[in-house]
Amino acid sequence: MNILNLFKVSFKAVSNNKMRSFLSMLGIIIGVAAVIIMMAIGQGSKESIRAELSTMGTNLLTIRPGADMRGGVRQDPSAMQTLKAADYERILREKKFVSKVSPEVTASGQAIYGNNNTTTSMYGESTEYLDIKLWTIEEGDCFTDEDIKKAAKVCVVGKTIVTELFGENTDPIGKTIRFKSIPMRIIGVLKSKGYNSWGMDQDNVIIAPYTTVMKRIAAQTWYSSIVCSALTEELSDAAIEELTQILRDNHKLKGEAADDFTIRSQAEMMQTMSSTMDTVTLILVVAAAFSLLVAGIGIMNIMLVSVTERTKEIGLRMAVGATGPIISLQFLIESVLISVTGGLLGIFVGCSASAFLPSFGMPSSIPAWSIYVSFFVCVCIGVLFGYIPAQKAANMDPIEAIRHE
């Protein structure tokens, strides 16, 4: 019997038991769909996080104070005062792989206008900060170097601040708000960025000259951090080495002395987040793949039942010349047909469900290779779990099989 006839006989056998075949396929359908959906969510989350971090600049570098031991107690890095004006000035003078630099001083509190107030954060920055973080002024202007020299009480605000303090469709330019009892005149409004992947409102922000925040609000002489942008994303590592050397020299750190600062790149953060999402995705896919294992066992069970039911048919076919390998191949083809058909339906269900995920606020992006792998796995399941029933059919004694009732 040739292969084409075997396929015809196998297809007819599967078609004659539609409900049983469908129930056998159902486990494969659910398993493949679950794997594709999990992969889509994982890949979509990675792309979403990367896009989110990219809005802050892929070549962003952040210098923060490092933790220190005092009296045997490790200090909170945020309480350290290791970043000073001398560090900022030396970076400006000696930078080669860094394009822009901004010292940063932060303060949290309430912004007040009339009877309205909202809790927010104020960031003290230089004029280069907006370029580093890829912010855009939508209305008005940014503060100038002259404002920084004078520690002028001016600021630019995000859309959330405007909405909370002034209401919708209101021009806040020129109006004065109070932050920790300090009057601050609004000279610009930032273009909206919305919420990020961690649910933080990026528009709930006030940006002012760093000297203003240091002298008038935070009353400190050190920086909370220094933010920089490398010339290109590829030169981030070279920029980190350069900044490390500048700061170690400035802080007089010799030999094996530990750094009293830390430098993190946006690329490093992207890599860390991608690695985390890969781990989470792997766990989800493994969990979903167990349903494929269960489905394979179900196919084997159904095929064993089918062999038992068709014992007399097998005996008659052997009596008229069908060999053991031919009988074995027929049942293997039936098993693969059930598995592959279920896999194709599972791919369709998984892709369709993944396409609807963004409607529910979940990121989704289906890697093409996940579809190919799912199809290949379905073929393997059909062969592996169909082998035992096929061998059982092939090893039957024709005479005993014909006598079977």
Side-chain angles (χ1 to χ4, degrees), residues 222-280:
W222 66 94
Y223 303 138
S224 304
S225 60
I226 299 175
V227 291
C228 315
S229 59
L231 291 174
T232 64
E233 184 179 352
E234 292 72 23
L235 291 175
S236 292
D237 290 340
I240 289 175
E241 292 181 13
E242 177 183 70
L243 291 169
T244 299
Q245 191 58 51
I246 290 173
L247 292 173
R248 285 186 65 85
D249 289 346
N250 223 39
H251 295 181
K252 296 179 172 56
L253 299 174
K254 305 293 184 181
E256 299 298 321
D259 295 338
D260 58 358
F261 57 88
T262 58
I263 304 176
R264 294 288 180 266
S265 68
Q266 200 75 331
E268 182 182 355
M269 188 177 295
M270 287 180 181
Q271 185 176 2
T272 300
M273 294 302 297
S274 293
S275 177
T276 302
M277 286 309 305
D278 284 341
T279 302
V280 172

Side-chain angles (χ1 to χ4, degrees), residues 362-376:
M362 300 180 68
S364 174
S365 177
I366 304 173
W369 60 265
S370 67
I371 295 176
Y372 305 139
V373 170
S374 297
F375 183 80
F376 175 73

